[in-house]
Amino acid sequence: MSIVVGAEVLEAAAEPIMNDAEMYQLGLVASTGGEQGAFDLVTAHKWFNLAAMQGNLEARAYRAELANEMTTEEVAEAQRQAREYLLTHRPRAKG
């Protein structure tokens, strides 16, 4: 069974994409554990990857460092999560 949904419905339901600095900050929190102290390398890689895609060079460097500490499966999961984020979020309206 397949469901067909119009593009305008998907766009209306999608949340705005954060900017690279916001994504970078989320990556830092996830990679250091923030106030809770529980770090998550998969989530950190996801946010650094998304920030790097928007041109954030620091995020690109941290993403590479994390990838060296992660298994192939963890990197694949982080990339899957980044793709999922992009499918459910839309660029912010300029203006």
Side-chain angles (χ1 to χ4, degrees):
M1 177 171 119
S2 64
I3 299 173
V4 178
V5 179
E8 55 278 344
V9 172
L10 289 176
E11 186 169 319
E15 297 176 30
I17 290 178
M18 290 179 270
N19 66 38
D20 69 296
E22 293 168 320
M23 292 176 178
Y24 175 73
Q25 286 301 313
L26 288 173
L28 287 178
V29 170
S31 67
T32 61
E35 293 178 9
Q36 286 75 29
F39 62 91
D40 180 349
L41 296 183
V42 171
T43 299
H45 188 285
K46 172 187 85 172
W47 289 120
F48 288 142
N49 191 26
L50 290 164
M53 289 172 64
Q54 293 188 39
N56 189 306
L57 297 179
E58 290 179 71
R60 185 177 172 189
Y62 278 109
R63 178 188 64 190
E65 278 186 47
L66 284 181
N68 287 330
E69 299 177 24
M70 298 167 68
T71 66
T72 304
E73 292 80 15
E74 289 172 325
V75 172
E77 175 60 18
Q79 292 171 338
R80 186 198 64 74
Q81 289 181 18
R83 284 190 303 274
E84 183 177 306
Y85 177 87
L86 292 173
L87 288 173
T88 58
H89 293 73
R90 60 181 163 72
R92 288 186 175 162
K94 295 186 180 186

